[in-house]
Amino acid sequence: MPRSPTVDMAGPELPESHPRYESLLTRHRIEAGVESGITSKQGLIAQGRGEAFDYLLGEETVPSADEAERVAAAHLLRAEHPVLSVNGNVAALAPGEIVELAEATGADIEINLFNRTRKRMERIADHLGEHGAEGVKGLSADGRVPGLNHERAKIDSDGIGSADVVLVPLEDGDRAEALAAMGKAELVIDLNPMSRSAQSATVPIIDNIIRAVPNMTAYANDLSDADRKELDSIVDSFDADDALAAAERRIRNPPSDSEV
Ligand code: PTJ
């Protein structure tokens, strides 16, 4: 069963009973992120795109996404060097949740921005630090993703550069494809099952980041005693095309009220 997200940064006067509580809370976090220089203005547009798909998915973690989140947790646990990539939207929406996932899986956290400025990088690093992150990577940028000519190509050689498994939430398609070409297993969180990032992922997670990350952490904790054989079998049983098709089916055929 999917777990509810922890909501520790409630917006102004937002009663939890409000039917659109989660959606309004998410908007509030993005707005606050833009105001504090963490999230880019383009992040507002990305948020709107995501919301439209979330609405179509019923604003809940559908069973295929729940399965993908368990599989992603297994990938992170068996990785030699897992890294969680963070951009301005991720930092605003789920900073504490990312830190908890890193702790549960032994992953590094690396900031990677499309609209990269030194100031934003530092603000995001400070913000993650306030949520308990240590040793956040991304600032040295001594490595490159081959085949990309924008700021997202900049990576740390001891971070994403040497990672075998990378979580890339709210990614753009170019970089997702380039990281896949580097041979990394990519866990992509994206509400749009038709996006290039989701399509090129080893594990596409078609869910809202604010639900997906806490659920992955819960699964990582459940699986903390699992041996390599069990983790391998969880990973091997997953079919990315099936997961994408299931999400698309759900969008095209929402359950009727009587089935919910
Ligand atoms: O902080 P920066 O400078 O690195 O910029 C980050 C953004 C997000 C602005 C940049 O990567 C961008 O423009 O992204 P796109 O191309 O708009 O893609 C964002 C994808 O994330 C879209 O497919 C959305 O459907 C999806 N998305 C948006 N909000 C969420 C989401 N997926 C999961 N959870 C969300 N809350």
Side-chain angles (χ1 to χ4, degrees):
M1 277 292 289
R3 280 70 161 186
S4 304
T6 50
V7 281
D8 61 350
M9 193 178 126
E13 309 295 322
L14 213 56
E16 278 190 51
S17 57
H18 191 289
R20 303 197 53 79
Y21 174 75
E22 217 177 77
S23 159
L24 293 173
L25 174 87
T26 307
R27 284 187 184 184
H28 168 72
R29 287 187 179 182
I30 287 286
E31 220 182 316
V34 173
E35 275 162 14
S36 61
I38 288 172
T39 308
S40 71
K41 286 187 185 159
Q42 286 183 17
L44 293 167
I45 299 168
Q47 168 67 22
R49 294 170 74 181
E51 271 190 26
F53 284 99
D54 206 14
Y55 185 82
L56 294 169
L57 284 161
E59 294 177 338
E60 63 177 11
T61 301
V62 300
S64 55
D66 185 47
E67 189 204 341
E69 284 153 17
R70 182 164 182 262
V71 172
H75 264 286
L76 290 170
L77 286 172
R78 69 173 203 166
E80 297 261 322
H81 182 196
V83 177
L84 315 180
S85 182
V86 169
N87 65 20
N89 285 51
V90 176
L93 290 176
E97 290 84 348
I98 285 285
V99 173
E100 282 170 16
L101 179 61
E103 282 168 2
T105 57
D108 279 334
I109 298 176
E110 177 161 336
I111 307 167
N112 179 274
L113 299 182
F114 183 68
N115 305 289
R116 184 183 177 113
T117 64
R118 185 87 207 163
K119 207 158 143 193
R120 273 189 78 212
M121 293 291 292
E122 284 167 1
R123 289 221 166 129
I124 292 173
D126 289 348
H127 183 61
L128 292 169
E130 282 159 19
H131 285 84
E134 284 171 15
V136 171
K137 298 188 188 296
L139 285 107
S140 63
D142 56 345
R144 288 286 176 281
V145 179
L148 282 190
N149 59 7
H150 53 72
E151 291 293 296
R152 278 202 140 169
K154 294 182 179 168
I155 51 174
D156 281 14
S157 54
D158 65 348
I160 290 175
S162 56
D164 53 346
V165 176
V166 194
L167 175 74
V168 278
L170 284 66
E171 186 61 89
D172 63 60
D174 275 11
R175 181 160 172 272
E177 283 175 355
L179 286 173
M182 285 174 87
K184 300 182 189 301
E186 264 193 311
L187 319 171
V188 169
I189 301 174
D190 192 321
L191 280 157
N192 177 3
M194 285 152 287
S195 77
R196 270 199 297 150
S197 328
Q199 300 270 340
S200 61
T202 314
V203 181
I205 300 162
I206 312 303
D207 199 5
N208 196 317
I209 184 170
I210 69 166
R211 295 188 298 267
V213 173
N215 201 30
M216 286 169 65
T217 302
Y219 276 127
N221 289 331
D222 287 353
L223 291 169
S224 61
D225 292 331
D227 58 19
R228 174 79 197 202
K229 208 168 143 211
E230 186 179 350
L231 296 176
D232 285 351
S233 110
I234 293 169
V235 164
D236 294 344
S237 66
F238 183 74
D239 187 309
D241 290 334
D242 284 355
L244 291 169
E248 203 176 321
R249 264 197 314 277
R250 174 64 174 243
I251 287 171
R252 291 182 192 281
N253 310 294
S256 64
D257 284 351
S258 58
E259 290 173 292
V260 181

